[in-house]
Amino acid sequence: MTRATVPQLRNPGRTAAASAPVRLPMAYVLPLRAADDRDLDELTGYLRDLRRWVDVVVVDSSPPDPFARHATAWRDLVRHVPPDPALRGRNGKVLGVLTGVALARHEHVVIADDDVRYDLPALRAVHELLDRVDLVRPQNHFDPLPWHAWWDTGRTLLNRALGGDWPGTLAVRRSTFLAMGGYDPDVLFENLELHRTVRAYGGSTATPAWLYVRRLPPTTAHFLGQRVRQAYDETARPGWLLAALAVLPAAAVALAARRPGLLLRAGLVTVAVAELGRRRAGGARVFPAHTSLAAPVWLLERGVCAWLAVGRRLRGGVPYAGHRLRVAAHPTRTLRRRMPRRRPDELTLWVHAER
């Protein structure tokens, strides 16, 4: 199967018939690992809404005590299962996705982190898009917006201006996912890896800039702990990494030359680019105007963390959930070279066999 990427699609959510059934023939896969039950009631309420619209599979790799409490709370609400023990890999989220997609009862499958909050119109739009493409990449926005979510929205807006942000959710056709053998469970930037694997297989992808899905902000401690790890993701995108590495040297040169006005102008340009991303495809209705001002702050932070990420790379990778991951994501050309050697019916092709 070979399909071209679909660069532009009209908004099918705007034309969906008002009489469309509420229950959609879709599966929703939520890979979960929770150390505590602090947000259990809120998540349970969300799952209760979801089950009215789609089939829900929660693949839970939480420790035994939280797993047992989840099983009690979600009995008769959703399918709640542990990851398939036959799967091997260091990225637990990917193992959860591999398990959940294999269990899905429908062709259209939404994959979402536990902080993503779909509504029915967004699910309908994804469902209609998957009739035309193999993978859909929606766009997240934080709500509510504490200071650290405001900070990270600067990244979102710059990415939107330059092609599209990488959200905590993707949607795929199950047949394509199974036929290409899933994706590598030993990478850090798993959404990019899945996207590239679909492209390497010959599938089509869409990044609808108008398709907004709410995301809950992380805790401040979680946000701070993610800074270097997220910068490490850019080792999979050398051009973006080089641009981030250039931020501090450029600032140092401007200061050494006693030309702080250059920094001011660079900051204004960054805000202008972020504003383009904010206004793109009606984004102003979900991104407040002041979030564009976060872009220079985030860019300076990324300039610092990019150098720290390179240091982690030289030391063998970045720590992740008890493991150390060296590869953020494989180049598409590498994945394409592997494709001819893959068996179309083997979901666990990426999985390391237990010796």
Side-chain angles (χ1 to χ4, degrees):
M1 176 180 65
T2 301
R3 301 188 184 93
T5 298
V6 179
Q8 292 184 353
L9 294 169
R10 65 180 178 82
N11 182 344
R14 295 176 180 171
T15 59
S19 60
V22 170
R23 186 75 179 178
L24 299 171
M26 296 179 69
Y28 187 104
V29 173
L30 193 164
L32 175 68
R33 181 175 178 83
D36 56 55
D37 294 330
R38 178 182 52 203
D39 300 319
L40 178 59
D41 290 343
E42 191 278 336
L43 179 57
T44 301
Y46 175 59
L47 294 177
R48 188 171 290 111
D49 287 337
L50 274 179
R51 68 168 294 191
R52 295 190 291 112
W53 306 326
V54 293
D55 183 47
V56 182
V57 182
V58 178
V59 184
D60 193 349
S61 59
S62 302
D65 287 346
F67 184 95
R69 289 191 290 271
H70 297 164
T72 299
W74 301 334
R75 185 179 294 117
D76 300 325
L77 183 64
V78 299
R79 279 191 291 170
H80 176 243
V81 298
D84 186 342
L87 300 176
R88 294 291 180 271
R90 288 172 289 176
N91 190 318
K93 176 182 173 181
V94 177
L95 298 182
V97 173
L98 292 171
T99 301
V101 175
L103 292 173
R105 298 184 179 121
H106 299 285
E107 168 71 351
H108 295 177
V109 182
V110 171
I111 301 164
D113 293 346
D114 62 339
D115 57 359
V116 172
R117 296 293 179 267
Y118 274 87
D119 58 16
L120 181 56
L123 289 170
R124 280 176 170 160
V126 168
H127 178 52
E128 293 190 23
L129 285 166
L130 284 175
D131 283 334
R132 305 174 62 185
V133 299
D134 295 282
L135 181 143
V136 177
R137 173 160 53 120
Q139 301 289 276
N140 279 151
H141 67 96
F142 287 116
D143 182 15
L145 197 70
W147 73 267
H148 55 282
W150 171 85
W151 183 302
D152 205 35
T153 299
R155 169 192 58 82
T156 299
L157 300 184
L158 290 175
N159 283 339
R160 282 175 53 78
L162 300 174
D165 191 34
W166 288 96
T169 178
L170 296 174
V172 296
R173 288 182 179 177
R174 182 175 183 270
S175 59
T176 301
F177 188 95
L178 297 180
M180 71 187 192
Y183 62 121
D184 195 332
D186 287 319
V187 298
L188 184 67
F189 197 169
E190 76 284 340
N191 279 353
L192 178 60
E193 182 78 2
L194 176 53
H195 183 275
R196 286 179 173 178
T197 304
V198 170
R199 294 292 306 276
Y201 180 70
S204 56
T205 64
T207 306
W210 47 264
L211 180 49
Y212 301 106
V213 179
R214 179 180 173 231
R215 190 171 192 178
L216 302 179
T219 64
T220 303
H222 185 75
F223 167 80
L224 294 175
Q226 292 283 304
R227 307 332 301 148
V228 178
R229 192 206 67 75
Q230 288 188 0
Y232 194 93
D233 285 345
E234 302 301 10
T235 60
R237 303 193 296 174
W240 291 77
L241 178 62
L242 289 175
L245 291 173
V247 170
L248 288 187
V253 168
L255 292 175
R258 297 182 179 180
R259 300 185 64 184
L262 290 176
L263 296 180
L264 178 60
R265 286 194 286 273
L268 292 175
V269 169
T270 304
V271 170
V273 174
E275 182 65 13
L276 290 176
R278 189 183 78 87
R279 297 189 181 191
R280 183 183 177 194
R285 65 184 174 86
V286 296
F287 300 111
H290 56 79
T291 53
S292 294
L293 300 176
V297 181
W298 175 85
L299 188 61
L300 183 60
E301 173 235 301
R302 178 52 58 91
V304 173
C305 291
W307 286 99
L308 298 176
V310 169
R312 290 278 178 85
R313 172 81 176 191
L314 295 176
R315 293 196 299 272
V318 64
Y320 179 82
H323 300 283
R324 185 173 291 273
L325 298 179
R326 179 175 176 80
V327 177
H330 294 95
T332 303
R333 62 182 180 276
T334 300
L335 297 170
R336 191 174 290 120
R337 284 198 300 267
R338 294 176 176 180
M339 285 293 169
R341 300 194 296 271
R342 306 175 79 173
R343 297 196 295 276
D345 59 342
E346 187 177 358
L347 173 62
T348 60
L349 187 71
W350 285 112
V351 177
H352 303 303
E354 186 175 12
R355 296 185 184 277

